[in-house]
């Protein structure tokens, strides 16, 4: 995963009216957050959409060139977030985060399944259910170029009633999963022999509900 390059333009103007005009001209507004005051930028919509698609959901370090009336400056950033229009057809807004090599950033890393067809669970009529398609992680920026585009989950030993949880996965160096609360399920096997798994999940949910009820009764 090598560093990627993108060029944006500094924009003085902000506000809904200006942003609407930008979009009509084929540009997308964005903001760079980081060490200094947030910096407002704009970028060509078509080329930025292609750029984001080429990342395929993986986290990459971006060398961002910012053009302004004073000349060009460069910032090292990651794509923090972006919004698409309601129909999902147009890029509406982009957030970048300025980083250094030692910054620690949070993001979601996609998962891929390996040996799905050869898993014992499928051969005995089970259905593999993906509960989470990506895992929230924290990572030091200098390790991002070494990251795989997705975390691979090997299903070769998965049998009926088995589940793979977030803490069962092997993470690359410098990467830690963000687990708040319980060790959540990533992949599970459903089917006639996996009813116990479903019951177990319901029990946990019941416990969580009872805690909420207790909190509400305290407020009374």
């Amino acid at each position: 995963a090598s560093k990627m390059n993108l060029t944006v333009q500094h924009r003085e103007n902000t506000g809904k009216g200006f942003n609407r005009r930008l979009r009509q001209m084929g540009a997308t507004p964005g903001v760079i957050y980081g060490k200094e005051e947030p910096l407002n930028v704009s970028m060509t919509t078509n080329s930025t959409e292609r750029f984001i698609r080429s990342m395929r959901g993986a986290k990459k370090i971006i060398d961002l060139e910012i053009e302004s009336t004073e000349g060009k400056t460069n910032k090292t950033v990651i794509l923090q977030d972006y919004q698409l229009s309601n129909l999902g057809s147009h890029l509406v807004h982009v957030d970048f985060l300025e980083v250094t090599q030692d910054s620690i950033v949070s993001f979601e890393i996609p998962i891929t399944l390996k040996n799905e067809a050869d898993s014992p669970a499928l051969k005995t009529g089970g259905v593999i259910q993906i509960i989470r398609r990506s895992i929230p992680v924290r990572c030091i920026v200098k390790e991002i170029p070494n990251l795989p585009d997705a975390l691979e989950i090997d299903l070769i030993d998965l049998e009926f009633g088995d589940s793979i949880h977030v803490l069962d996965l092997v993470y690359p160096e410098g990467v830690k999963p963000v687990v708040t609360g319980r060790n959540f399920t990533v992949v599970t096997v459903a089917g006639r022999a996996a009813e116990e798994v479903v019951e177990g999940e319901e029990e946990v949910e019941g416990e969580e509900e009872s805690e909420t009820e207790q909190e509400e009764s305290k407020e009374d």
Side-chain angles (χ1 to χ4, degrees):
S2 57
K3 192 183 274 194
M4 302 181 76
N5 302 295
L6 182 67
T7 300
V8 299
Q9 289 73 43
H10 179 233
R11 63 184 166 108
E12 295 289 348
N13 299 347
T14 55
K16 280 185 180 169
F18 179 76
N19 286 350
R20 197 178 301 117
R21 283 200 300 281
L22 266 182
R23 293 185 188 110
Q24 285 166 353
M25 288 160 24
T28 296
V31 180
I32 304 170
Y33 296 98
K35 306 180 203 67
E36 301 151 21
E37 285 289 303
L39 183 68
N40 295 305
V41 293
S42 65
M43 62 217 80
T44 310
T45 306
N46 287 346
S47 58
T48 310
E49 284 173 354
R50 283 198 302 274
F51 178 86
I52 291 174
R53 272 201 302 275
S54 75
M55 294 167 76
R56 294 188 183 86
K59 193 57 77 176
K60 310 271 187 187
I61 297 172
I62 302 164
D63 187 12
L64 199 66
E65 184 173 82
I66 303 144
E67 297 176 338
S68 72
T69 47
E70 284 90 53
K72 294 178 179 178
T73 52
N74 287 67
K75 287 182 184 290
T76 302
V77 302
I78 56 169
L79 179 67
Q80 184 74 350
D81 198 12
Y82 62 91
Q83 286 87 44
L84 297 170
S85 62
N86 291 339
L87 299 171
S89 54
H90 278 297
L91 188 63
V92 175
H93 193 273
V94 182
D95 288 339
F96 298 103
L97 180 67
E98 187 178 1
V99 293
T100 65
Q101 288 297 303
D102 296 319
S103 300
I104 293 173
V105 292
S106 300
F107 55 92
E108 300 253 337
I109 189 165
I111 63 157
T112 55
L113 303 182
K114 180 183 170 188
N115 293 320
E116 188 172 359
D118 296 324
S119 90
L122 280 193
K123 290 177 177 168
T124 48
V127 178
I128 299 206
Q129 287 191 330
I130 301 172
I131 312 294
R132 296 288 294 257
R133 294 201 169 269
S134 60
I135 307 291
V137 296
R138 283 168 68 76
C139 177
I140 190 159
V141 166
K142 63 178 159 224
E143 294 295 343
I144 289 177
N146 306 323
L147 289 189
D149 285 351
L151 283 178
E152 200 172 60
I153 300 180
D154 195 342
L155 304 182
I156 196 70
D157 296 324
L158 203 64
E159 300 191 10
F160 256 140
D162 286 351
S163 291
I164 295 173
H165 295 85
V166 65
L167 296 178
D168 300 334
L169 305 180
V170 177
Y171 293 89
E173 192 172 333
V175 176
K176 287 193 168 62
V178 178
V179 182
T180 54
R182 66 195 176 100
N183 181 10
F184 58 81
T185 305
V186 182
V187 177
T188 188
V189 181
R192 59 182 189 278
E195 283 166 10
E196 301 144 316
V197 176
V198 178
E199 282 170 15
E201 292 283 342
E202 279 171 7
E203 279 168 27
V204 175
E205 280 173 21
E207 284 168 25
E208 284 173 4
E209 278 164 22
S210 62
E211 280 172 23
T212 315
E213 282 165 17
Q214 285 167 10
E215 279 169 23
E216 282 169 7
S217 60
K218 275 185 212 160
E219 284 170 16
D220 296 344

